[in-house]
Amino acid sequence: MTEFDRLRSMLPVGEFGRPLHCFETLGSTNDFAKEQAANDAPHGTLVVADEQTAGRGRGERRWLTSKGDGLAWSLILRPGRSGGETIGGVGCLTALAVCEALQENGIRGEIKWPNDVLIAGRKVAGVLVEASWEGMELVWMVVGAGVNVKPDSIPPEGAIEYPATSVETELGHAVDRWAFLRTILRIFAERWPHLGSNGITHAIEERLAFRGDEVELEGGGKTLRGRLQGIQPDGRLRLLTSRGALDVAAGEIRLRPITAEP
Ligand code: ATP
Ligand code: BTN
């Protein structure tokens, strides 16, 4: 049985993982999933790659996936309800599913709003959500995630802007990549129908990195400082600034903790 056969035998989980497209090498699972979505691929389609040669973060930023060391996957979602309700929160929901899968393995993960998972302040996973609209209607979303599983998946320090780690580095023993992916998808499947509910919002808030701390948000050439208070059900971050409370949508915004006064 090949590794991909083994993954196939574990899926689908709920509505996710069928059809399943597996690649030893692919540019980007998000790019492939977007092409599939544009060609009417169904809700629940999953794309997995062992290696990505053009993995992407937001904007022009890169996500590095070395062969066989991590997880790189993308899921096609056709929400079938008003887009605005779902798109803002789906990145955090995916990060929450990764955190809860880590918790099942005994490690605490935190969500660095809007789209990263940290373990003890180091980045272990990143999520990229992309969508297609027809007027006001959200037709599909692709949610992609990269998870560093083996120590070799951690990029060299000079190649990344935020300290990184891997699941195995933190656990101190090997994990089955596909079982870990299945756990993430199982949790996502359980949580997805409740996206936007108070329960999900609180679960995300409980895992929000830097909650209560002074942080800096940077985007579009502007920076904003404030105390990170929590998130709204639509995924916006609530910041307490010197001018009062402000809810900020993710977009191209990057968050950094303020560790010391300049
Ligand atoms: P940041 O992690 O800097 O806060 P972000 O959440 O805004 O960034 P993106 O804009 O989506 O992230 O870009 C992805 C970033 O992830 C890249 O800038 C790169 O520094 C980092 N990165 C790339 N590959 C890995 C990896 N395998 N593990 C950890 N970090 C990575
Ligand atoms: C981030 O670091 O903030 C986002 C990184 C998202 C990376 C994943 S890996 C699978 C999928 N395919 C891509 O090209 N990007 C996402």
Side-chain angles (χ1 to χ4, degrees):
M1 195 192 252
T2 67
E3 273 293 281
F4 289 149
D5 288 340
R6 204 164 64 75
L7 173 61
R8 199 170 293 279
S9 73
M10 296 178 177
L11 297 172
V13 46
E15 61 204 276
F16 301 117
R18 185 178 291 154
L20 170 66
H21 301 271
C22 296
F23 296 89
E24 282 182 13
T25 300
L26 190 64
S28 150
T29 55
N30 260 46
D31 288 347
F32 184 83
K34 282 164 67 181
E35 278 166 34
Q36 293 292 306
N39 285 309
D40 298 328
H43 174 79
T45 300
L46 179 67
V47 182
V48 175
D50 232 9
E51 175 188 46
Q52 291 186 117
T53 53
R56 296 184 291 108
R58 294 177 300 159
E60 300 290 301
R61 294 188 283 275
R62 309 255 344 244
W63 180 264
L64 305 169
T65 314
S66 55
K67 198 169 186 64
D69 293 328
L71 288 171
W73 54 273
S74 300
L75 203 53
I76 296 176
L77 304 171
R78 295 185 184 275
R81 48 185 155 140
S82 148
E85 286 170 22
T86 53
I87 187 147
V90 80
C92 278
L93 181 72
T94 311
L96 176 67
V98 174
C99 286
E100 292 183 336
L102 287 169
Q103 199 67 62
E104 291 192 10
N105 284 275
I107 329 178
R108 178 169 170 85
E110 290 194 319
I111 302 168
K112 176 169 160 284
W113 183 89
N115 63 334
D116 294 342
V117 178
L118 307 181
I119 303 175
R122 293 181 168 269
K123 183 161 167 174
V124 69
V127 177
L128 177 66
V129 181
E130 298 180 285
S132 175
W133 300 80
E134 273 170 19
M136 296 294 282
E137 194 192 337
L138 177 67
V139 188
W140 50 258
M141 288 186 274
V142 165
V143 54
V147 184
N148 297 335
V149 179
K150 297 186 184 302
D152 283 350
S153 60
I154 304 172
E157 246 177 53
I160 47 173
E161 293 174 43
Y162 203 87
T165 190
S166 78
V167 179
E168 291 189 357
T169 305
E170 301 298 327
L171 263 180
H173 61 77
V175 293
D176 179 337
R177 266 193 307 159
W178 300 147
F180 193 67
L181 173 57
R182 189 184 191 284
T183 304
I184 297 170
L185 294 175
R186 171 177 51 75
I187 296 167
F188 187 86
E190 286 161 11
R191 294 279 201 187
W192 158 253
H194 310 291
L195 182 56
S197 67
N198 287 338
I200 299 278
T201 307
H202 288 142
I204 293 169
E205 280 191 326
E206 276 170 15
R207 296 200 177 267
L208 215 46
F210 315 116
R211 194 167 177 208
D213 294 348
E214 280 289 309
V215 296
E216 198 165 72
L217 299 184
E218 181 256 304
K222 292 187 186 154
T223 52
L224 190 66
R225 264 190 181 211
R227 193 168 296 280
L228 195 159
Q229 197 182 31
I231 63 153
Q232 299 297 316
D234 63 7
R236 283 178 303 159
L237 189 77
R238 172 149 290 196
L239 206 63
L240 284 180
T241 71
S242 53
R243 294 182 180 178
L246 207 65
D247 293 328
V248 184
E252 259 305 298
I253 290 182
R254 301 178 98 184
L255 183 152
R256 291 288 182 267
I258 296 174
T259 44
E261 290 300 317

